[in-house]
Amino acid sequence: MKKDIILAGVGGQGILTIATIIGDAATAAGLHLKQAEVHGMSQRGGDVQSNLRLSTEPIYSDLIRQGAADLIISMEPMEALRYVPYLSAEGWIVSSSHPFKNIPNYPDEEALMNELSAMPHVATLPIEEVAKEHSLPKSANMVLLGMSARYMEILTPEQLRASIARVFASKGDKVVADNLKAFDLGLNEQ
Amino acid sequence: MKLLLGDEAVALGAVHAGISGVYAYPGTPSTEITEYIQAHAPEVRSRWCTNEKTAMEAALGMSYAGKRALVCMKHVGMNVAADAFVNSAITGVNGGLVVLAADDPSMHSSQNEQDSRFYGKFAMIPILEPSSQQEAYDMMPYAYALSEELKLPVLMRVVTRLAHSRAEIAVREPLAQNALNPDNERTHWVLLPANARRQYASLVEKQSQLLASSEESPYNGSKCKTQGARLGVIACGIAYNYVMENDPQQLGVSVLKVSQYPLPESTIKEFAAQCDALLIAEDGQPMVEEQVKSLLGAGYVLKGRLTGDLPRMGELTPDSVGQALGVVVEPAYTCAQNVMPRPPALCQGCGHRDVYDALNKVAAEYADARIFGDIGCYTLGALPPFRAIDSCVDMGASITMAKGAADAGVHPAIAVIGDSTFTHSGMTGLLDAVNDKSRITVVISDNLTTAMTGGQDSAGTNKFEAICLGLGVEPEHVRVVVPLPKNMEEITHIIREEIEYDGVSVIIPRRECMQTLKRKLRQNKTK
């Protein structure tokens, strides 16, 4: 089995943490993995993405082909749309519905959400609000990961939960518990 | 197995190959190599250097002393290190010496996409170009053994996509470091013309050994033999992955992988004889394509970046290589309508913002003020809302271009340079300006770190006033301010005063980078 995943967002939103957790879970599961990241200038508030490729077979390219991604996971709705040429016909988009406007010419919000909702396989959630409602303001990215877990297939939610516990272990039990709670909120939402 | 970035695989490979020191100046996409060694190998000397030239020379010194050394830089750093780099091929080495150049095709974080393989060819030394993270790790002991066998430095070239992508790595038992064993052969190291001629003759003579090593290299060779294939692909470095991703067997295409240079000419001729045409897939500039063209003659059909079968510039992708192989890709979805570019910007609360606000205010009072920028986060001052700088060329060029423009009559001529860039390549230019009494105003925007690459130590922290005074800037024209909105009146006043001074002034706005400040606060909180 093979899963090509594009993680998208704005520099500083925490997509590399999502990538780290999926990467850790994949390694623990003995899967092959390639994970291309963006470092450098774009991390200063620009658009950032990570190409994550998981497979039971060896992987060659670090980059995903156009029309081949199984999943786009995005911390921001416009950033989700940026990568649709990479999405396969049956691929899913899992995205935050909360726009991050740090540019003067951000598109009309209604038109943007309409275009996103018109995609055949899409799940959105105001992840920041959900996280805040449950007093987990720093764990919006884990709500998104929880939502995505239902479409990941190559990794089970339990494998991802175990990875969250490992990755956040050094930050203490409270941080681990908060992030697991946020993950479960996303997983069980909708 | 370990999950490592390409850069980290390079670092761990070098540590396990027994290096005693790594020498580097931060530069995307090479920075994480040295950071990994700093974090994981305390037995290896690893403090940041002031620039790539000092790094290259110190690494050569360690090699002279008999130990293995690694020097790392981004591609444009090779220009800074070039004098030492090219001459290290003339002296030759004692302990193994590997120069790691991280190229940035598509200019993700750079001002050009020059291909470092040309530097290796120019210096006439072996070049290794790994195709994967595992190969980057595996090649390190091979590179050091080759360097010590040939008594030459070895250039390893990686690209952004390899440097910044993670994969699982199988690791080996580490090798011990070399013992101290300085070279006693002065005629190798004292490059007076008489010695240099002998050393150069020896380098020329070694070229047949370099070629033989490439022909026999475990990293070069046929990877996918397809019976009766009409098209062959020479796949260099990371391009090999993009070729294999397109399933050449199924396409009826043969593949020759090249990851060690000089080009294995016999192997290539033999491969070409079995095909009717060749596609050259290489990330960067068409270096191999040009060489193969002269090797096979005008009658042989070649495809590549020069012929337009692959894009002339920018990094390769599995899609662009697939297209050159005749694979038709039809994306399921076309580009979305409601998407706008999202360029990077200076962080909220960043001191550079206040510097540009102040400069813009004062510059607006002059008919023809020019602000010469430099390399770093503050280059983002070129973008809205600031649109403040008129140039950004290379490390240190702000001061020297302002000087030249002032010599020509531009006034006010203002240079904006960061603290780390100033010690990297700004100090010598400032001395020129002082000696010439040039009418320029230099702003050293000091955020106490090398910010753009992620907050590495900056070589001149706490030394800038002393450096400027030592270079001869008059004490009353070295002014320090704190770039905050509440100090705007004071800052603009000082800028006006110094612009009116007929000589060299230095203004140092000093406030810690928001990123390193936040990181410190977080760390204190966890403690």
Side-chain angles (χ1 to χ4, degrees), chain B residues 333-459:
Chain B
Y333 305 101
T334 51
C335 285
Q337 300 293 313
N338 292 287
V339 176
M340 301 303 289
R342 196 190 298 260
L346 289 169
C347 304
Q348 292 306 317
C350 169
H352 295 317
R353 285 182 172 264
D354 302 306
V355 170
Y356 282 125
D357 279 338
L359 283 172
N360 277 344
K361 245 178 220 155
V362 178
E365 296 163 10
Y366 292 85
D368 204 17
R370 295 299 157 112
I371 300 178
F372 300 89
D374 223 302
I375 310 272
C377 285
Y378 49 96
T379 313
L380 295 170
L383 304 178
F386 304 106
R387 299 182 197 274
I389 62 175
D390 295 290
S391 75
C392 164
V393 181
D394 66 88
M395 296 286 281
S398 57
I399 296 176
T400 26
M401 279 190 67
K403 181 204 182 305
D407 291 347
V410 169
H411 181 77
I414 301 166
V416 178
I417 186 167
D419 49 312
S420 186
T421 306
F422 177 72
T423 43
H424 178 289
S425 287
M427 298 189 291
T428 44
L430 184 60
L431 182 59
D432 279 351
V434 167
N435 289 344
D436 223 2
K437 296 192 170 52
S438 306
R439 195 176 186 188
I440 63 170
T441 308
V442 177
V443 177
I444 303 175
S445 195
D446 181 6
N447 58 7
L448 306 167
T449 189
T450 313
M452 179 90 271
T453 46
Q456 294 75 26
D457 289 342
S458 174

Side-chain angles (χ1 to χ4, degrees), chain B residues 62-356:
Chain B
M62 181 170 270
S63 160
Y64 170 88
K67 298 194 177 183
R68 291 184 166 183
L70 174 68
V71 46
C72 315
M73 61 197 79
K74 68 181 296 173
H75 59 337
V76 285
M78 288 292 286
N79 302 331
V80 179
D83 194 0
F85 172 75
V86 173
N87 287 307
S88 71
I90 309 292
T91 60
V93 307
N94 183 20
L97 176 58
V98 174
V99 180
L100 186 295
D103 289 2
D104 191 18
S106 284
M107 307 180 225
H108 298 284
S109 288
S110 307
Q111 70 271 48
N112 75 29
E113 57 173 28
Q114 67 184 54
D115 187 328
S116 296
R117 294 176 302 170
F118 284 101
Y119 266 116
K121 187 175 186 318
F122 185 43
M124 303 169 70
I125 62 171
I127 308 165
L128 295 170
E129 192 188 9
S131 65
S132 67
Q133 291 80 357
Q134 182 71 56
E135 209 167 62
Y137 174 85
D138 292 339
M139 272 181 176
M140 271 297 170
Y142 176 83
Y144 280 99
L146 187 66
S147 171
E148 288 175 0
E149 183 199 328
L150 294 168
K151 294 278 172 200
L152 286 178
V154 169
L155 176 67
M156 186 181 283
R157 183 238 191 182
V158 298
V159 293
T160 302
R161 210 46 81 177
L162 177 67
H164 286 169
S165 177
R166 282 174 212 278
E168 67 269 28
I169 306 292
V171 297
R172 287 171 272 94
E173 279 298 302
L175 301 175
Q177 294 188 16
N178 288 358
L180 180 65
N181 179 29
D183 197 343
N184 291 319
E185 193 47 75
R186 286 180 168 176
T187 56
H188 292 176
W189 295 92
V190 181
L191 293 182
L192 284 166
N195 289 338
R197 282 183 209 111
R198 264 196 308 273
Q199 287 298 102
Y200 184 55
S202 147
L203 176 61
V204 170
E205 200 175 307
K206 278 181 193 172
Q207 294 306 301
S208 58
Q209 274 177 272
L210 268 66
L211 192 59
S213 174
S214 281
E215 300 282 5
E216 294 154 15
S217 171
Y219 299 108
N220 290 343
S222 173
K223 285 289 167 188
C224 170
K225 268 190 183 153
T226 309
Q227 284 302 318
R230 302 195 55 201
L231 180 68
V233 186
I234 296 181
C236 308
I238 198 168
Y240 174 71
N241 294 341
Y242 303 139
V243 173
M244 296 308 283
E245 186 72 23
N246 282 286
D247 200 351
Q249 194 103 47
Q250 204 204 330
L251 295 171
V253 169
S254 287
V255 180
L256 177 68
K257 175 174 174 292
V258 173
S259 282
Q260 182 177 339
Y261 309 82
L263 272 186
E265 294 181 357
S266 306
T267 309
I268 286 175
K269 278 185 181 162
E270 212 173 287
F271 181 68
Q274 295 161 9
C275 310
D276 297 335
L278 286 185
L279 173 72
I280 315 291
E282 55 188 322
D283 219 354
Q285 295 173 297
M287 183 183 98
V288 171
E289 191 176 347
E290 281 178 350
Q291 284 183 58
V292 172
K293 197 167 156 184
S294 73
L295 191 68
L296 299 179
Y300 200 94
V301 181
L302 278 191
K303 299 177 179 188
R305 287 184 182 268
L306 289 172
T307 57
D309 291 274
L310 285 166
R312 182 64 180 80
M313 55 186 278
E315 68 176 333
L316 296 176
T317 65
D319 294 312
S320 63
V321 171
Q323 205 171 8
L325 290 169
V327 177
V328 182
V329 184
E330 280 173 24
Y333 305 101
T334 51
C335 285
Q337 300 293 313
N338 292 287
V339 176
M340 301 303 289
R342 196 190 298 260
L346 289 169
C347 304
Q348 292 306 317
C350 169
H352 295 317
R353 285 182 172 264
D354 302 306
V355 170
Y356 282 125

